[in-house]
Each structure stands twice: as structure tokens, then as C-alpha cells.
Amino acid sequence: MILTALTRYYHRLAAGTDNVGNPKVPPYGFSEEKIGWILVLSSDGLLVDVVPHLSTDKKPQPKLMSVPRPEKRTSGVKPNFLWDKTAYVLGVEANKDKAAAQSQPFVPSEKTFAAFKQYHVQLLQDTADEGLRAVRLFLEHWQPEKFAQAPCRPEMLDANVVFKLDGSSGYIHQRKAAQALWATLLVNDEAERGLCLVSGEEAPIARLHPAIKGVWGGQSSGGSIISFNKESFTSFGKEQGANAPVSEQAAFAYTTALNYLLRRENKHSLTIGDSSTVFWAEAAEHAEAEEAEDLFAAIMDPPDDEQENNKIFNVLKQMEKGRPLQEIAPDLSPDTRFYILGLAPNASRISIRFWLDTTFGKLFDNLAQHWQDLHLEPQAWKTPPSIWRLLVQTAVLGKSENISPLLAGEMARAVISGTPYPLSLLSQLIARIRADGDANGLRIALIKAVLQRRFRKDLIKEEVPVSLNTESRNTAYLLGRLFAVLERIQYQALGELNAGIADRYYGSASAVPFSVFPRLLSGAKHHLSRLRKDKKGMAVNLDKDLGAIIEQLPETFPRHFNIDEQGRFAIGYYHQKQSYFAAKESTANEE
């Protein structure tokens, strides 16, 4: 299912072009690789110049170029066709001895250069093409020690390089003769033929699949979704890819599509926890599929640009109110297919964290439900938060590297599939509030979302209020409100303290109220007595709030609260506390 969908996506990409008219993905047998330098050869095979192929960033990086697909070098020496690293093409690599590198920046790499030279001299022995002949002559006469002379530069070391014939356009690997030769090399007469699981047709089966690069935390050389390197992974005496037969063309298609999706500049990838999440759509019209992809990306990871952020903020507001997709985006069909794939590194392999195959209408409903569950008054954010920004609220010290990868994957799955949020999300949020005392809007919105989703799924009986609900009889919610009133009384009576009741008692008040609230109420009497001397009106209002809440409470305080009740306590505390800020702002505006 996953490979089939990726293969179809490759064919859609292959039929289109980018903004400057170039194909979005390379044809079969080619791959987009990072090429740093171009070796310009004369027709006699002399190196006349080296030209950088780098980005214009502050720290220039090699740019992508479509080249004959690379060999999969798990071990051993295997040269690529008409391009490779300097260790293969020029026989030199960077000196790893930092002390010696200042005087001698490169060291020879004889074994790799000999393999590259032998491979190409043999292939190009009888060529009549001027460009291919120049490559052969260059390799026959090149000596690695010549790298110390112009036009070579030390910054070229270990970069990928290609060839260009001086005075001609394009690169040598793009010449018709080179491509015709490469096409003959792609035909593997020794490949085992079988029924491809992707296309359903008989074809040569790929023994090894091309590498998948760009998975966050994965190996720089890439990884594989399908690979077999131990006898325990094989069956019926089959070897390597024959255990899960995928044709060479299908293997190329799905890996090329996945590599395209994983490149950040293509805006089809999100990092959530330790998972690289890619997404794409299928529709009758390419423009409609692209619109669905753009909308999903903006909802999941709102843009930094203020103007664009305002646009998506308005969309999210409508989603919170339950507006249907056709009202928000009338050009989008709810039946558009949408795919989301979560990938995580596992040594040289890539693990599938989650996979969703659905319609965009259903996905939109799930995303809308997420924002409805998060909705809190007063608004908990100025700009819409991404899943990553929400998850940071669970991390120790607010550092993203402390986010639990397992929690991140479970939360992403809950958001896109509409399933209950993980209970570990609730427990971690409560633990963070107890640890640092920061019951901020994002944390409370997430707590409310977890409980509201559980209510939607009939896992708990009582709905969670969006804003301050003075009619609620839920004991945990009432005690959260009561704690906020007690904190307000202390603050108005004594001003700022190094350690107020929230700093000292929030954790125990939210978990074992019986042991704390009698003492807090006793202290509040003294604070109110003091407050009546200086701020009589304030004292009267706070005493009313105190009495109104106590009147609705049971005769005895509960011995302990479970995790759901601790969540409701936090929500009640936030609602009541924010009501005082709102009243203060209203008074300031009137004045």
C-alpha cells in the first residue's frame, strides 16, 4: 500500500516541472545528488578549470544535480558512472590528521581512484563521443599529486564532482552518448525475474533498493525500508530483495518519490519528535492536490510570516467553530486522497512510525476536531501553535531535545487520525506544572484537549468547559477555582512573595486536597482581615468568590484526585485566575 502510493506519486512528479521548467524528479536510472564542483576538461583530457556548484548562502552548500544513480556502497569499493567523490575521481581525500592537514591538506586514495579509472577506461575504450573520450584521456594521464597545483582547490576535497567539456553546454553525463551507454548498463541480465508486489507485473527484481536520505537522525548515507542482511530475515532460500519482490523500476520510483518528499525545500516534510513525517495528495487535477498539501502543511506548521500566519489563523478560527471544508476551501474536494507517512531511523534501516491513507475531507474533520478540543477562553496563544510547539510544553526545561519520541509519535497519530490523545500527555503536563509552577495557556489547552477528546469518545462522562463555568459542580474544577481565589487573596494582601501558595502547595492541593485546603482556608481568613483594612471593596469581592465556590463543594474535601481530576483542577485554576486578569484589563480600559 505505502510503496504503491509512493510509486503513483513519483509518476505524478515525473509528469510535472518546477518553477524554472526542470523536471521535479529524475528519470529512471538517475538520482538527484549534491554536487559541489565541476571539472572542466579540454578535448585532450586536460583539466583546464574547476567551477563551484554551490549555493549562495552565508555558508555555501553543494547544490542538487541529476546524475546517474549512485552505487549502494555498504562495503567495498564501487565507482559511480561519470561522477563521484574526489577520492574516486581525483584520487585524493581530506587529511584526517588535523595537525598535519595545515601543511598537507590532502592524502592520496589510491584504491578508489584505481577502481574509478579502470571502470571508465574499460567502458569508454571505443567511444567516439568527444566528451566521453576526454574523460578517458583525463583518467589515463591524471596523477593524484597534481591536485596540489592549480586549478584544484583544497575546499574541493571529499565533495562530489562531475565533468564538463570545455566550450560545450551541459555536462558530460548529460550527453546523448553517455545516456545511451548508461541505459545499457542499467539492464541487468543477471537479475532474477519475478512478480513485482507493486506493479503486479513480471519484471527484473531489485536485489538492493536505492538509499532513502533525509530522515531526521538517520545515517548520512541513507537507509532502507526494505532490506535483508541476515539469514533470519530470509525465507525459502531466497536472497536479499527476492524475499519481498519489488521490480527495479518500482524500487527506483518509490525511493525517488520519498527522497523528494524528505527534502525540506519541497515543503512536504515535518519533524515531529524523532519522526520525519511526509505527506502528499492524489486528485484528478494536480493543482487541487497541491492545494490540499499546502493547506495541510499550513495547519500543521503555521508559517512565520505575519501576513500568512493571519490567513491560517482565520482558517483555524473557522475550524474551531465547526465550519465544513467546502465553506473554508470551496475549490477542494473532500474526496481527494491524502497520505501521511511517519519515518524514524533504526540503524541502517528506516522504521514506519505511522501511516494514514484517508480522504482529505476526513483528515480535515480530524484536524478541526483537534483545534476544537484545544479551544480555550481566553485564547491560549497569539499565533497558532504547531504540534512541535505544543509538545515542548511537556519537555523538561522547555528544551525540544527532552521531548519523548514515543509521546510525539502518539500525539501526531491522535491529531491526524482523530483517536484519543495519549494519557501520558496528560500526566507529563501535570508533572511539568507541579515541577515549575507554570500553568500557562498552552499547557492548559492541551490538558483540556486530552479530557475533551476522552469525553467525545465516551471514556469520561462530563464535558470540559471552554471558559469559566460558575455553574459547574465538578469538585476538582471547583477546587482549582478555589485555589486561584486563595492565591488572589494572598497576593492582594501581601503583594509579590518569593514563594506564594501556588509555589508551595499547588502539587499537593491538586493531588491530595484533604491535606492542604483546610490550612489554606485558615490562612485566607487572616489575609482577608488584613485586606479589609486597605482594600475593603477588593476584600468583599474576593470573599464573595470564596463563599460562592465553597457553597457548591461537598462537606469534606476529597482524599485524593486521579489524573483526570488533576487535569480538571488545572483547568479550573486557569479559568478563575484568568478571570481576574480580564477584570483588571477591563478596568484599565475603562479608565
Side-chain angles (χ1 to χ4, degrees):
M1 179 67 77
I2 298 174
L3 304 189
T4 303
L6 284 167
T7 300
R8 289 199 302 268
Y9 184 62
Y10 167 79
H11 291 302
R12 171 191 145 189
L13 292 172
T17 56
D18 60 18
N19 295 333
V20 293
N22 295 323
K24 289 185 176 181
V25 288
Y28 174 63
F30 286 76
S31 173
E32 287 193 322
E33 302 293 332
K34 292 180 179 179
I35 304 298
W37 297 84
I38 300 159
L39 305 181
V40 183
L41 306 179
S42 69
S43 58
D44 296 329
L46 298 176
L47 180 62
V48 296
D49 198 6
V50 293
V51 179
H53 188 255
L54 305 170
S55 65
T56 55
D57 303 332
K58 288 184 179 179
K59 187 178 180 182
Q61 298 294 325
K63 294 192 293 186
L64 291 172
M65 182 186 294
S66 178
V67 293
R69 74 182 182 197
E71 292 290 336
K72 196 165 186 179
R73 294 195 278 244
T74 53
S75 61
V77 176
K78 297 178 183 177
N80 295 326
F81 181 64
L82 291 178
W83 71 277
D84 218 314
K85 293 184 177 182
T86 56
Y88 278 84
V89 179
L90 300 174
V92 290
E93 58 185 341
N95 192 343
K96 294 178 175 59
D97 185 343
K98 293 183 179 179
Q102 294 181 353
S103 57
Q104 181 64 25
F106 68 90
V107 292
S109 180
E110 297 174 359
K111 190 175 180 181
T112 51
F113 176 67
F116 189 85
K117 178 179 178 179
Q118 181 182 2
Y119 176 67
H120 285 84
V121 168
Q122 209 167 22
L123 274 178
L124 309 178
Q125 190 66 46
D126 301 321
T127 184
D129 181 79
E130 186 180 15
L132 295 178
R133 180 175 172 275
V135 172
R136 176 174 61 80
L137 292 173
F138 167 76
L139 293 172
E140 287 176 342
H141 297 99
W142 174 259
Q143 298 296 325
E145 53 268 22
K146 292 182 180 179
F147 186 82
Q149 305 169 10
C152 295
R153 313 181 195 180
E155 53 265 36
M156 295 171 56
L157 290 168
D158 295 340
N160 288 326
V161 298
V162 296
F163 296 101
K164 184 179 188 300
L165 184 64
D166 190 26
S168 66
S169 60
Y171 307 104
I172 291 178
H173 68 267
Q174 295 174 335
R175 296 171 73 90
K176 288 184 179 180
Q179 297 206 0
L181 178 56
W182 178 237
T184 63
L185 297 175
L186 288 173
V187 178
N188 186 358
D189 295 329
E190 297 179 0
E192 180 182 344
R193 294 183 67 86
L195 189 66
C196 174
L197 295 177
V198 176
S199 66
E201 299 175 356
E202 187 174 326
I205 300 302
R207 182 174 177 274
L208 297 176
H209 294 203
I212 298 165
K213 300 179 181 180
V215 175
W216 186 84
Q219 295 182 354
S220 58
S221 58
S224 300
I225 290 177
I226 300 172
S227 66
F228 305 85
N229 63 350
K230 291 184 180 180
E231 289 184 4
S232 57
F233 301 155
T234 63
S235 57
F236 299 104
K238 296 182 181 294
E239 294 184 358
Q240 296 288 358
N243 288 277
V246 176
S247 69
E248 292 183 346
Q249 291 211 3
F252 167 80
Y254 90 78
T255 54
T256 302
L258 204 44
N259 282 325
Y260 174 88
L261 291 166
L262 284 165
R263 285 201 291 273
R264 284 290 180 181
E265 61 269 23
N266 293 329
K267 300 180 180 179
H268 281 267
S269 178
L270 304 167
T271 301
I272 302 173
D274 69 337
S275 298
S276 294
T277 304
V278 297
F279 54 89
W280 68 99
E282 273 183 14
E285 299 292 334
H286 292 339
E288 187 176 335
E290 289 174 356
E291 186 177 349
E293 292 161 353
D294 291 344
L295 181 57
F296 175 79
I299 292 172
M300 293 293 286
D301 189 14
D304 294 330
D305 181 76
E306 185 176 348
Q307 186 175 357
E308 292 298 320
N309 199 291
N310 288 335
K311 290 179 184 177
I312 196 62
F313 190 80
N314 293 332
V315 170
L316 295 177
K317 278 289 187 184
Q318 295 180 66
M319 292 171 70
E320 284 179 3
K321 295 175 182 177
R323 298 286 191 270
L325 172 63
Q326 288 177 316
E327 185 176 320
I328 296 174
D331 296 335
L332 275 178
S333 169
D335 297 327
T336 297
R337 298 304 302 178
F338 207 89
Y339 306 96
I340 303 173
L341 176 62
L343 304 170
N346 180 12
S348 61
R349 289 183 174 82
I350 296 171
S351 302
I352 305 295
R353 274 291 168 86
F354 51 83
W355 164 246
L356 183 69
D357 173 2
T358 186
T359 63
F360 191 73
K362 177 61 177 173
L363 175 64
F364 184 86
D365 290 343
N366 292 339
L367 294 175
Q369 189 180 96
H370 167 67
W371 289 103
Q372 289 163 21
D373 290 341
L374 273 178
H375 180 52
L376 191 69
E377 291 181 5
Q379 186 76 53
W381 51 78
K382 291 183 179 180
T383 57
S386 63
I387 292 180
W388 187 250
R389 184 176 154 201
L390 292 172
L391 283 168
V392 167
Q393 298 301 321
T394 69
V396 177
L397 301 177
K399 294 184 177 180
S400 58
E401 57 265 29
N402 294 332
I403 295 173
S404 162
L406 184 61
L407 174 62
E410 289 178 345
M411 182 172 173
R413 189 181 297 110
V415 171
I416 63 179
S417 62
T419 56
Y421 297 101
L423 269 180
S424 57
L425 174 61
L426 179 59
S427 61
Q428 288 203 33
L429 288 165
I430 289 171
R432 295 315 319 143
I433 294 174
R434 295 181 65 172
D436 58 28
D438 184 13
N440 63 58
L442 283 180
R443 286 178 173 176
I444 301 302
L446 267 176
I447 290 173
K448 185 251 176 185
V450 174
L451 295 176
Q452 184 64 13
R453 183 69 61 89
R454 286 172 62 77
F455 170 75
R456 286 180 188 270
K457 303 296 182 182
D458 294 325
L459 298 174
I460 55 176
K461 294 181 180 179
E462 191 174 344
E463 190 170 8
V464 184
V466 172
S467 57
L468 180 64
N469 183 3
T470 56
E471 304 300 320
S472 173
R473 295 294 187 273
N474 183 279
T475 302
Y477 184 78
L478 284 168
L479 286 178
R481 290 182 58 205
L482 180 61
F483 192 80
V485 174
L486 294 172
E487 181 186 29
R488 184 71 173 176
I489 290 171
Q490 183 191 57
Y491 171 75
Q492 291 296 335
L494 305 179
E496 289 286 352
L497 298 174
N498 289 333
I501 64 168
D503 301 309
R504 299 174 62 186
Y505 298 111
Y506 179 90
S508 51
S510 63
V512 284
F514 180 84
S515 65
V516 176
F517 273 100
R519 193 186 323 164
L520 295 178
L521 287 170
S522 177
K525 291 179 181 178
H526 298 292
H527 295 149
L528 282 171
S529 177
R530 180 171 180 171
L531 193 56
R532 288 188 185 99
K533 296 176 183 178
D534 303 323
K535 303 176 184 177
K536 188 174 181 179
M538 177 70 72
V540 170
N541 289 334
L542 290 173
D543 198 17
K544 284 181 180 178
D545 289 346
L546 198 64
I549 295 172
I550 292 174
E551 186 180 348
Q552 300 176 71
L553 286 168
E555 292 183 3
T556 58
F557 292 106
R559 292 281 177 181
H560 68 275
F561 280 150
N562 61 29
I563 195 73
D564 284 358
E565 291 167 327
Q566 290 181 52
R568 287 187 186 270
F569 181 97
I571 295 169
Y573 172 71
Y574 177 82
H575 280 161
Q576 188 68 41
K577 190 171 182 177
Q578 290 299 314
S579 71
Y580 293 128
F581 290 136
K584 184 178 179 180
E585 289 176 5
S586 176
T587 303
N589 290 336
E590 288 175 6
E591 290 176 356

